[in-house]
Structure formats: structure tokens, C-alpha cells
């Protein structure tokens, strides 16, 4: 390892002061609100997911700034970005990359696919076949891609923001439970209110809202912030609260398949990120409760036979709110 590599490795593990992290989160929120108007909770969920080292699934109708939200994060942190339009004929190699024979060297040269970017937008992920969907599994779980007998690391930081329309079922392939479980959080953007939509029309005038979005931080800042989040204190009482919530989903009569142990790990990670964004160096039960639906709802399978994915999600969310209301909250550390 060279001295430059040593410095890079050290930088990757250097933490950021809690006050600096709160300031960074606030600046990112303010800058992203310029292009994603009136969606503070969606921005905060994306920021918390990114800081926690996870991936985000956005389920909503077209035209509500799902892709813009992800690309705004890439612009603000000066990260590379790529958008993959998932279709039925998309192949795994279209995601991970392919080797092409080079006549000049008489060797095969690997051309990285769009997954080798810091922020990857997997647009309409449920339109691709399960085989192509699975090309993202190793990338999301391990931060690497295995291609032709080689294991290639992905950028650090790395996040997948996938989108899908839960109301449209024709020509789609539902994400299996194992793949939904890889997404740390899920959110619905929803339509902006009338004031925000009018302001958007007046401000843009047909221009690309991302064109003037300048970076306010770097990859180094992002890695430092992630290190701080990962080391944030989690009291035993709060850990037991997380376990109680996750366990309750496995015994609730309205839920056929409850949350996995990975869900508990993800819930703790996002709660840490929420606490750090608020400038605290510890996780409170409120951080857990505020993020529980975003982290757990998409992983659950409700009992019965919901008519659509949207109905299934609504049933799971309703069960989660009931579990949150009935689970005792720890009084202190």
C-alpha cells in the first residue's frame, strides 16, 4: 500500500464531530429542498439511509421527483451517479458490465457497468426480470461485484435508490422478499401541496432543476459522517426496544411474515443516523419510533390476500402503527 493509499484508508475511518455532522445534514437538506420542494421528510429519510450505509426503495407514481431526489444527493456530495432504466429485456451484464475484446492488445477488457457509481438510480426496478434484479443483490449487500471470476469493489460511499410504481402490475416482476429485505428503508413521495407545486412552476421555467446545484461537501466528508453514525451510542434499553418491535411483527395476527434480524440491524442504523442528524451522540426511543415504518413496512407480508402491492403495504403499515402504540417505550438508559 502506498502512502497515498494509507492516507485514504485513514481518511475513510476518520469520524466527524457531532456538531459538524448536524451542520452538514442541515446544509444538505436546505440545498436539496431547492429542487425537491416541500418534501422534507423524504429528504431526511434519504439522508438518514445514506449516512447509515443503506439503500432506499421509493414506491410512488411517476413524476413526483423520485429520480431528482437521488441525483440531488449525488450533486450535493460531488458523487458519481448513474441511472438504469429497468426494462424486461435488460440483462445482468447491462448492470454490472461486460468484457469486450480489444483488437490492439488481443485481450478482453472489462467495461464497468452503471452500477460502478456512487449513487445508482434503479428506475422502475420491478420491470426487469428476477435474474436482472438479482444483479444488484451482491452490490447492495457486499459493496462489490463478482464478474468473470473477479471481485471488483464499488465506490465508497455507495447507495442504490430504486423506484417502482406500486399501482401498475402489468409487465412487472414483484421484488422477492429477500431483495426487499436488502433495502434499508422505503418511502412514498406523494404529490406536493398546492403552494409547493405553484412555487415549482414559477421557479423553474422549464430549466433543469439540478443544473445549478453545486456540491457543498465531498466523498471524504460523506465517509467521515458515516463513520460517526456507525459509532453512535446505542443504549441496551433502546436495543431491547428495537428487538421488541421486530419480534412483535413475527407474532402479530395481521402479519404472515414478520421482519428479519437484518431489519433490526437496519432499524438501529437508521435510528443512529437520525440521532446524528439532530446533533446528538446517542439514540433515543423516539429516533427508533420515527423510523420504524420506513424501515420495517416493506419487509412484511400481511395475512390474507391483498388486491395489490399498495394494499399489502397499507395493511403492513397499519399493523406497524398498532405495534408501535402497544410496545412499551423504555424510560431511560
Amino acid at each position: 500500500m502506498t502512502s497515498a493509499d494509507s492516507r485514504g484508508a485513514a481518511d475513510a475511518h476518520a469520524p466527524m464531530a457531532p456538531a459538524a455532522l448536524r451542520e452538514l445534514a442541515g446544509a444538505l437538506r436546505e440545498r436539496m429542498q431547492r429542487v425537491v420542494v416541500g418534501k422534507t421528510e423524504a429528504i431526511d429519510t434519504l439522508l438518514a439511509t445514506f449516512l447509515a450505509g443503506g439503500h432506499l426503495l421509493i414506491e410512488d407514481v411517476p413524476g413526483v421527483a423520485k429520480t431528482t431526489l437521488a441525483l440531488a444527493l449525488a450533486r450535493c456530495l460531488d458523487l458519481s451517479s448513474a441511472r438504469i432504466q429497468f426494462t424486461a429485456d435488460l440483462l445482468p451484464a447491462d448492470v454490472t458490465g461486460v468484457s469486450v475484446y480489444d483488437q490492439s492488445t488481443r485481450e478482453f477488457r472489462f467495461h464497468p457497468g452503471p452500477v460502478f457509481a456512487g449513487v445508482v438510480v434503479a428506475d422502475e426496478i420491478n420491470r426487469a426480470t428476477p435474474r436482472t434484479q438479482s444483479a444488484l443483490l451482491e452490490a447492495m449487500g457486499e459493496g462489490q461485484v463478482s464478474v468473470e471470476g473477479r471481485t471488483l469493489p464499488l465506490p465508497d460511499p455507495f447507495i442504490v435508490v430504486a423506484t417502482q410504481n406500486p399501482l401498475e402490475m402489468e409487465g412487472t416482476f414483484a421484488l422477492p422478499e429477500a431483495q426487499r429485505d436488502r433495502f434499508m428503508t422505503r418511502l412514498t413521495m406523494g404529490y406536493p401541496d398546492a403552494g409547493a407545486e405553484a412555487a415549482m412552476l414559477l421557479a423553474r421555467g422549464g430549466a433543469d432543476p439540478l443544473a445549478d446545484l453545486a456540491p457543498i461537501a465531498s466523498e471524504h466528508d460523506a465517509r467521515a459522517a458515516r463513520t460517526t453514525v456507525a459509532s453512535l451510542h446505542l443504549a441496551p434499553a433502546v436495543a431491547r426496544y428495537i428487538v421488541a418491535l421486530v419480534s412483535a411483527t413475527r407474532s402479530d395476527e395481521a402479519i404472515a411474515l414478520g421482519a428479519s434480524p437484518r431489519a433490526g440491524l437496519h432499524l438501529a442504523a437508521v435510528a443512529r443516523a437520525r440521532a446524528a442528524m439532530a446533533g446528538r451522540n446517542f439514540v433515543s426511543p423516539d429516533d427508533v419510533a420515527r423510523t420504524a415504518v420506513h424501515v420495517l413496512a416493506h419487509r412484511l407480508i400481511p395475512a390474507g390476500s391483498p388486491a395489490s402491492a399498495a394494499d399489502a403495504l397499507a395493511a403492513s403499515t397499519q399493523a406497524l402503527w398498532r405495534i408501535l402504540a402497544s410496545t412499551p417505550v423504555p424510560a431511560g438508559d
Side-chain angles (χ1 to χ4, degrees):
M1 179 181 290
T2 66
S3 59
D5 291 335
S6 299
R7 288 194 300 272
D11 288 345
H13 298 283
M16 176 181 290
L21 198 154
R22 181 175 68 173
E23 184 178 348
L24 173 62
L28 288 170
R29 182 188 300 113
E30 186 277 331
R31 186 64 60 90
M32 293 173 68
Q33 283 176 332
R34 298 181 185 181
V35 297
V36 184
V37 182
K39 295 298 175 184
T40 303
E41 180 59 27
I43 292 172
D44 281 350
T45 299
L46 172 59
L47 290 177
T49 305
F50 176 79
L51 291 172
H55 308 283
L56 173 66
L57 176 64
I58 306 178
E59 293 183 327
D60 218 320
V61 296
V64 292
K66 300 186 295 292
T67 302
T68 302
L69 178 68
L71 296 182
L73 176 67
R75 290 288 185 95
C76 289
L77 290 174
D78 201 21
L79 303 176
S80 60
S81 62
R83 177 180 173 274
I84 309 171
Q85 180 63 53
F86 278 69
T87 56
D89 59 349
L90 193 75
L91 299 176
D94 297 325
V95 176
T96 59
V98 65
S99 290
V100 178
Y101 185 72
D102 190 333
Q103 291 279 8
S104 61
T105 62
R106 296 185 178 182
E107 294 179 347
F108 282 92
R109 178 175 297 179
F110 179 69
H111 291 259
V115 76
F116 287 89
V119 177
V120 177
V121 180
D123 222 350
E124 295 185 292
I125 189 173
N126 57 331
R127 289 200 174 278
T129 62
R131 180 186 177 196
T132 302
Q133 291 176 10
S134 67
L136 284 174
L137 286 179
E138 183 184 11
M140 294 170 63
E142 310 296 334
Q144 63 185 30
V145 172
S146 297
V147 182
E148 299 169 357
R150 294 181 296 167
T151 299
L152 305 174
L154 294 171
D156 179 22
F158 171 74
I159 182 173
V160 172
V161 179
T163 75
Q164 64 177 2
N165 183 347
L167 300 177
E168 194 171 358
M169 304 301 293
E170 292 185 8
T172 62
F173 301 86
L175 294 179
E177 291 79 8
Q179 187 155 339
R180 290 205 308 271
D181 200 42
R182 299 296 179 104
F183 287 100
M184 182 174 282
T185 52
R186 173 224 149 261
L187 65 82
T188 298
M189 298 284 291
Y191 293 112
D193 59 42
E197 194 164 4
M200 180 174 59
L201 294 175
L202 294 171
R204 294 186 182 177
D208 181 3
L210 296 169
D212 298 325
L213 205 60
I216 59 173
S218 65
E219 290 183 10
H220 166 73
D221 297 321
R223 288 192 293 267
R226 282 182 160 194
T227 300
T228 299
V229 167
S231 62
L232 212 67
H233 176 65
L234 182 72
V238 179
R240 290 192 293 270
Y241 179 53
I242 293 173
V243 172
L245 290 174
V246 172
S247 298
T249 66
R250 302 169 188 162
S251 56
D252 192 281
E253 293 182 354
I255 300 174
L257 178 65
S260 69
R262 180 189 285 127
L265 294 172
H266 284 180
L267 182 53
V270 180
R272 282 188 169 101
R274 285 281 193 171
M277 289 167 62
R280 285 182 278 107
N281 59 1
F282 64 92
V283 180
S284 72
D286 186 56
D287 295 318
V288 176
R290 286 180 60 199
T291 59
V293 172
H294 289 314
V295 175
L296 301 179
H298 64 285
R299 307 168 192 266
L300 308 180
I301 297 180
S305 302
S308 67
D311 290 337
L313 183 62
S316 297
T317 301
Q318 184 177 9
L320 271 175
W321 282 120
R322 188 178 65 256
I323 289 171
L324 282 166
S326 60
T327 303
V329 179
D333 295 348

